[in-house]
Amino acid sequence: MQAIVITGTPGTGKSRLAKLLKQKLKHAELVTVNEFAIKHKLVMGKDEFGASIINTKKLAKLLNELVRRSKQTIILEGHLLCDMKIKNAKVIVLREHLKTLKRRMEQRGYEKRKIYDNLVAEATDYCGTEASKRYKQVGEFLSSDPKLLEKVLQFIKQGKKEEDIDLLDELLSLMKQERNFSL
Ligand SMILES: Nc1ncnc2c1ncn2[C@@H]1O[C@H](COP(=O)(O)OP(=O)(O)OP(=O)(O)O)[C@@H](O)[C@H]1O
Ligand SMILES: [Mg+2]
């Protein structure tokens, strides 16, 4: 069956969009990849920030099996999805303004270094670049766009894509504003 992959750096709004999309598509099944990985015992350890290290090779295998067997559309959401390949997937890469992301991560109590790393990943479009290496149908969308859902549905149904989103200048501005930003 068809898979819709929602990926993007932490806090870009993947879970939020996935829920909205599931409501719209009615007969779709939603899989939160992090929860799926825990359920299938694919956590191999913790990184320096305490986040789970996941066996992505095995995860990709199980997710592909799930999609192949499913009789309905499957929405998969998670940041790990840009580092693996799900067959016949339409991939939505969510992007967000760095100030918004920074505020969200601060509210979550992330360490400064983790916030910095994630913002650099977002500014350099890590997920979009990685997804484009593995998937044919990739669209990038700004999470805070009021027309996000409408645009995502157009992408799913007609393959219509947005223009490139460039957040590099935002990274430079943040670095200039906060002199110890990278510490
Ligand atoms: N477009 C938006 N407008 C307003 N708030 C948003 C928007 N998108 C996400 N948020 C808020 O930002 C926070 C993070 O969103 P969400 O949990 O969906 O991100 P995520 O990409 O799933 O994060 P994670 O990678 O940690 O799973 C939530 O509080 C959510 O309500
Ligand atoms: Mg989430």
Side-chain angles (χ1 to χ4, degrees):
M1 245 301 173
Q2 186 194 25
I4 296 167
V5 161
I6 302 176
T7 190
T9 60
T12 41
K14 300 178 289 294
S15 300
R16 178 182 174 271
L17 174 66
K19 281 183 199 130
L20 291 172
L21 207 53
K22 181 177 157 57
Q23 282 168 13
K24 274 276 169 197
L25 297 179
K26 290 192 180 86
H27 299 294
E29 181 186 345
L30 171 56
V31 176
T32 301
V33 168
N34 287 359
E35 288 171 11
F36 182 93
I38 293 167
K39 196 172 139 196
H40 288 84
K41 301 192 168 38
L42 302 178
V43 180
M44 301 190 295
K46 298 275 178 197
D47 70 10
E48 59 186 303
F49 302 114
S52 299
I53 299 169
I54 287 165
N55 183 341
T56 47
K57 218 171 163 181
K58 205 157 178 199
L59 177 61
K61 192 168 172 267
L62 292 182
L63 289 173
N64 273 302
E65 274 172 21
L66 183 77
V67 172
R68 199 176 60 237
R69 288 205 193 114
S70 178
K71 294 204 168 25
Q72 53 192 355
T73 299
I74 298 199
I75 302 167
L76 302 168
E77 69 102 345
H79 73 276
L80 293 171
L81 290 159
C82 66
D83 285 320
M84 63 182 72
K85 166 98 194 210
I86 305 295
K87 281 179 200 149
N88 301 322
K90 287 204 164 135
V91 182
I92 294 145
V93 179
L94 274 187
R95 310 291 310 277
E96 189 50 284
H97 291 297
L98 300 195
K99 276 189 177 167
T100 310
L101 271 187
K102 185 167 177 279
R103 194 175 57 240
R104 281 181 196 159
M105 289 192 276
E106 283 166 352
Q107 279 165 357
R108 288 177 175 186
Y110 283 7
E111 269 177 53
K112 225 176 163 209
R113 181 78 214 179
K114 182 170 177 169
I115 295 178
Y116 175 78
D117 286 356
N118 285 345
L119 290 177
V120 170
E122 180 57 23
T124 54
D125 194 16
Y126 174 82
C127 280
T129 308
E130 290 304 312
S132 299
K133 288 181 198 167
R134 297 177 174 85
Y135 296 97
K136 278 193 197 117
Q137 304 178 81
V138 181
E140 293 203 13
F141 300 87
L142 188 67
S143 175
S144 53
D145 184 337
K147 293 192 169 164
L148 174 68
L149 189 57
E150 199 181 303
K151 289 180 178 175
V152 164
L153 285 168
Q154 278 187 336
F155 170 65
I156 293 169
K157 288 175 182 159
Q158 299 149 23
K160 197 165 172 259
K161 289 189 194 181
E162 283 282 89
E163 300 216 337
D164 282 349
I165 296 166
D166 189 347
L167 301 173
L168 271 173
D169 284 347
E170 293 187 10
L171 184 66
L172 288 178
S173 304
L174 264 181
M175 285 174 151
K176 279 180 196 159
Q177 275 166 29
E178 300 181 36
R179 286 167 67 218
N180 64 350
F181 177 57
S182 65
L183 294 176

